Amino acid sequence: VYVCFFFSSRRRHTRQRSVSWARRCVQETGINAEYMGIQGIMAYYFLGTPLIDGNEDSTWNAICTKAFGVPSAQMELGFHISVDREKFRNATVDTLIGLTDAMQKIDSNLEGTIRKVEKQHRDLEPKWDIRINSNAGEMTMEKYIRDFMWEDSKFPRSKTLPELLHLIQDKINHLDNDIKKQISDYTDMKNQLGALAKKQEGGFLTKDLTEPLMENHIDPKMFLDSVNLISLIAVVGKNQVKAWESQYEFLDEYVVPRSSKPLGITDKEGNQLWTIVLFKRSVEVVMNKAKATAKVFLRHVEYNEAQYKEEKKKRAELSAKIDQAQADLIKNCEIIYSALFECLMHIKILRTHVECVLRWSVPPRYFLCLYRPIPGKEKKTIANLISIFSDAKEDKGMYGTKEEIGESEDYFPFILIQMGITIHQQLHALPYFNLLEKKKKKKKKKK
């Protein structure tokens, strides 16, 4: 037993709270936004319409011929999606309206998550031919969209619509948590390596001096650390060498004469390392005077060979772990991207189904297809679709984008939901860009 319900298409009724969904048919389509088609986002639209003459073939032929100007057999810009809509369980009007709000939020968040996963992959490995792994096998993204079939083994339509949405949401959350944890672990390891590497970065004024001393085979025995005497290292700028040689003995009476010797080590900034020997009782005084009068910084000798070797080993091991973690993260990004994209397709189909049922009642009798507009002809395509599916008695001026009709939301006599996917092939490989190129050549010949 079916309970039928309908809503009038008159705009004054759509302002009522209970049917506010009617004016959100393409709230997120961004029809007036600049078309992002060059190696970026390709606009795909899920289109749900009433049946023409109660027939899917008639509906598809009308869309192809009147909206795109090509016979259905030659249609390359779109394709019919068959999902056995009768398998979806019915729900009350209140439940359906509640689902539209929930699905819109999940949909938006999911697209954002997918973009983040893709960005993470491309940050690590820019060259990536995205593949979708479904029950039908591995395939390109476009082939998966074109050959889409609802996967009841993953998302059984025997469940109620809220249960089905909850199942999809749970899978999205699980995948999102997995990739977040892996990214977090990878980032933590990189930060650890960065902290170790930071000790060896920069000039002699800030970096750990153990490495340059070890790498230049400076004998640790040349540094004094007795009861009374201690050796310090002076970081002498390339322009202060002569001044240092003539002044260091006079910094304090407790500086050992002729004790400052160059170690023959220079950093990228031209700073040199020198030794200086003084009495321990005057270390602080000499360090302050050297900085104030000679513009030379004195540092304590950091020469722990065992610690240096341990940190070097730790850096090497951590670097190897990071390489492996990066390879694992790249692979997992591909797996999770594929699974998330499957969820996205199912969410889009479910959204379109619910919107269509709300719009045209039950049993669900609507036509579903997916198309991508030719760049620069988005508005014309929308106008053609309005002409096809608006009632002859209606004022076609009531339909259009929010800018065109002076409203807060777009309003059309059909359901339109956008999905943005990244182009992964050269534009000249796409059929409609070939068509555009042919038209350009014809125009040039005419001129």
Side-chain angles (χ1 to χ4, degrees), residues 233-256:
I233 293 181
V235 181
V236 184
K238 59 182 179 181
N239 297 325
Q240 276 79 42
V241 174
K242 289 184 178 180
W244 172 251
E245 288 182 287
S246 62
Q247 294 176 15
Y248 78 90
E249 293 180 348
F250 305 102
L251 292 174
D252 190 81
E253 60 180 330
Y254 291 104
V255 174
V256 177

Side-chain angles (χ1 to χ4, degrees), residues 68-125:
F68 293 93
V70 295
S72 58
Q74 299 176 18
M75 180 64 166
E76 294 180 322
L77 300 176
F79 38 89
H80 173 212
I81 298 177
S82 178
V83 290
D84 296 328
R85 50 187 176 267
E86 292 80 8
K87 288 187 177 181
F88 289 109
R89 293 178 63 175
N90 294 318
T92 64
V93 176
D94 288 341
T95 299
L96 293 175
I97 292 175
L99 285 174
T100 60
D101 293 329
M103 285 190 291
Q104 185 176 6
K105 184 177 180 180
I106 293 171
D107 188 348
S108 177
N109 292 339
L110 178 54
E111 284 197 343
T113 301
I114 289 174
R115 293 189 195 101
K116 288 178 183 176
V117 173
E118 181 178 0
K119 182 180 183 303
Q120 179 64 63
H121 187 291
R122 295 197 183 281
D123 286 345
L124 301 175
E125 179 53 65

Side-chain angles (χ1 to χ4, degrees), residues 161-173:
L161 294 181
E163 289 174 340
L164 192 55
L165 180 60
H166 185 70
L167 185 64
I168 297 174
Q169 176 71 82
D170 281 349
K171 183 168 184 178
I172 293 170
N173 290 340

Side-chain angles (χ1 to χ4, degrees), residues 132 172 187 296 314:
I132 305 299
I172 293 170
T187 303
V296 170
K314 189 176 180 180

Side-chain angles (χ1 to χ4, degrees), residues 155-424:
F155 311 111
R157 283 172 286 184
S158 58
K159 293 183 177 293
T160 65
L161 294 181
E163 289 174 340
L164 192 55
L165 180 60
H166 185 70
L167 185 64
I168 297 174
Q169 176 71 82
D170 281 349
K171 183 168 184 178
I172 293 170
N173 290 340
H174 177 72
L175 293 167
D176 189 28
N177 290 335
D178 278 356
I179 195 65
K180 280 181 178 178
K181 184 180 184 306
Q182 192 168 6
I183 291 173
S184 177
D185 292 344
Y186 173 73
T187 303
D188 286 344
M189 283 192 286
K190 287 195 69 176
N191 289 339
Q192 289 176 34
L193 184 62
L196 292 174
K198 192 174 183 180
K199 293 181 179 180
Q200 309 305 328
E201 293 177 350
F204 291 152
L205 294 175
T206 57
K207 73 182 296 181
D208 185 345
L209 298 179
T210 302
E211 183 174 16
L213 294 175
M214 290 285 295
E215 295 295 330
N216 287 275
H217 308 290
I218 303 300
D219 189 350
K221 293 180 181 180
M222 69 182 298
F223 299 107
L224 293 175
D225 190 2
S226 64
V227 176
N228 296 312
L229 296 175
I230 188 171
S231 293
L232 298 182
I233 293 181
V235 181
V236 184
K238 59 182 179 181
N239 297 325
Q240 276 79 42
V241 174
K242 289 184 178 180
W244 172 251
E245 288 182 287
S246 62
Q247 294 176 15
Y248 78 90
E249 293 180 348
F250 305 102
L251 292 174
D252 190 81
E253 60 180 330
Y254 291 104
V255 174
V256 177
R258 300 184 182 181
S259 64
S260 188
K261 306 291 182 182
L263 295 175
I265 307 174
T266 305
D267 65 11
K268 294 180 180 179
E269 298 170 0
N271 297 316
Q272 300 178 15
L273 295 185
W274 289 60
T275 60
I276 181 174
V277 181
L278 61 153
F279 281 80
K280 285 184 176 181
R281 68 196 314 183
S282 66
V283 167
E284 188 174 347
V285 173
V286 172
M287 290 181 77
N288 290 333
K289 284 188 176 180
K291 181 179 178 181
T293 61
K295 296 182 180 179
V296 170
F297 292 85
L298 300 184
R299 298 185 59 182
H300 289 280
V301 178
E302 300 168 357
Y303 207 104
N304 189 322
E305 185 175 357
Q307 182 180 342
Y308 167 72
K309 290 182 177 179
E310 180 62 29
E311 288 190 354
K312 189 174 183 181
K313 180 182 177 183
K314 189 176 180 180
R315 287 201 304 271
E317 291 175 348
L318 193 54
S319 181
K321 283 183 180 179
I322 289 174
D323 290 342
Q324 183 60 52
Q326 178 173 314
D328 292 341
L329 180 55
I330 290 172
K331 184 177 181 180
N332 211 28
C333 279
E334 294 171 0
I335 294 171
I336 288 180
Y337 184 97
S338 174
L340 287 173
F341 190 80
E342 282 186 286
C343 291
L344 181 65
M345 276 296 291
H346 285 77
I347 281 285
K348 297 289 188 183
I349 296 295
L350 189 59
R351 278 191 68 188
T352 309
H353 170 78
V354 170
E355 296 278 8
C356 287
V357 170
L358 277 170
R359 195 76 175 271
W360 297 298
S361 186
V362 292
R365 292 180 58 78
Y366 59 85
F367 180 80
L368 175 61
C369 68
L370 188 68
Y371 79 91
R372 57 191 180 198
I374 297 175
K377 296 190 176 181
E378 298 89 340
K379 289 186 178 180
K380 183 178 180 181
T381 300
I382 293 295
N384 291 341
L385 290 171
I386 290 174
S387 179
I388 296 170
F389 294 106
S390 59
D391 193 304
K393 298 178 182 179
E394 291 179 329
D395 177 12
K396 291 181 174 57
M398 67 187 288
Y399 299 115
T401 63
K402 57 187 177 183
E403 292 82 7
E404 293 169 340
I405 60 178
E407 295 287 345
S408 60
E409 296 170 351
D410 302 332
Y411 183 53
F412 303 123
F414 43 78
I415 305 301
L416 199 62
I417 297 175
Q418 183 181 1
M419 178 178 68
I421 68 167
T422 303
I423 296 175
H424 302 294

